[in-house]
Amino acid sequence: MTRRPRLLTTAAAGVTAVLLLAGCGGNDDTKQNDKITGADTAPTKSSSPTPTEPTSPDRPKIELPSDVTYTFDWPKTGDADKDAVLADSEQSIKAVDLAIVNQDALDKPYLYYYEGEAAVGTQEFIQNYVDHKASITGSYRFYAPEVAVAKDGTASLSYCEDQGKAYVKYLDTNKVKKTEVTSKSYVIYHTSLKKNSKGVWVIQKINSQSGSAKCQP
């Protein structure tokens, strides 16, 4: 998919299914290239503490457990539309994680921010966790955003994620699968968005690549 997703893969080890997050031990996929400035920079700005309050009454409230934390090194651009894309994308990221925590592949908060192809892929991504009774824990850092807004109400956003301190947690045993930090701990996302009738920037397409050269420290 791709969630934003940290891509989830499954592998058989005897009768045991092993879950790996993209940056937390491995994964594959799509696009490429040069480093992005800021990949080796220490975080400068953290997100609001969990729970995250919605910015308007009809937006879903996203409340995550204290063992899941975020840093969004996404400075404001000064452009109202671009800043709205960044703000809504931050909420969409957290909403997917909430669905994983809730073990609900049709969790309403993430469906508020995803439509069409992106919603279908995200549902499959979340369902993979549900099927394996797995959740998430740890810290996630997002950085190096590149956002563009068109006059027709569409936008694109690319950004990096550092998953070096993000892990899978198995719910049956409460065991955390900690993995070594490698080049694949750094993931780049490319998203296409549109502004809906509520004024929300919703994700329609999303692609990711673990091990992106652009995001390496």
Side-chain angles (χ1 to χ4, degrees), residues 3-4 6 47-66 68-70 72 86-102 107-114 136 200-201:
R3 163 164 79 175
R4 110 192 202 215
R6 291 173 228 101
S47 64
S48 301
T50 300
T52 300
E53 295 294 338
T55 56
S56 64
D58 65 329
R59 286 177 183 255
K61 184 175 182 180
I62 299 173
E63 187 170 341
L64 287 152
S66 60
V68 181
T69 61
Y70 305 86
F72 286 88
L86 291 171
D88 286 345
S89 294
E90 177 179 330
Q91 293 304 301
S92 73
I93 288 168
K94 293 179 178 179
V96 172
D97 286 351
L98 179 63
I100 294 171
V101 169
N102 289 342
D107 210 25
K108 289 183 179 179
Y110 91 83
L111 290 172
Y112 187 88
Y113 293 103
Y114 288 80
I136 57 171
V200 178
W201 287 97

Side-chain angles (χ1 to χ4, degrees), residues 154-167:
T154 62
S156 63
L157 172 64
S158 296
Y159 59 92
C160 293
E161 180 183 18
D162 177 354
Q163 298 177 351
K165 295 180 180 179
Y167 311 109

Side-chain angles (χ1 to χ4, degrees), residues 27-50:
N27 228 359
D28 38 326
D29 279 272
T30 31
K31 303 194 167 49
Q32 65 245 38
N33 292 13
D34 305 334
K35 287 187 179 182
I36 288 178
T37 302
D40 57 352
T41 304
T44 58
K45 185 184 294 184
S46 293
S47 64
S48 301
T50 300

Side-chain angles (χ1 to χ4, degrees), residues 77-85 201:
T77 68
D79 179 280
D81 285 332
K82 289 182 178 180
D83 288 341
V85 169
W201 287 97

Side-chain angles (χ1 to χ4, degrees), residues 6 23-24 39 43 139-143 160-166 181-182 185-187 189 215 217:
R6 291 173 228 101
C24 312
S139 302
Y140 301 88
R141 178 190 169 218
F142 302 89
Y143 55 97
C160 293
E161 180 183 18
D162 177 354
Q163 298 177 351
K165 295 180 180 179
V181 176
T182 70
S185 301
Y186 304 94
V187 185
Y189 299 94
C215 298

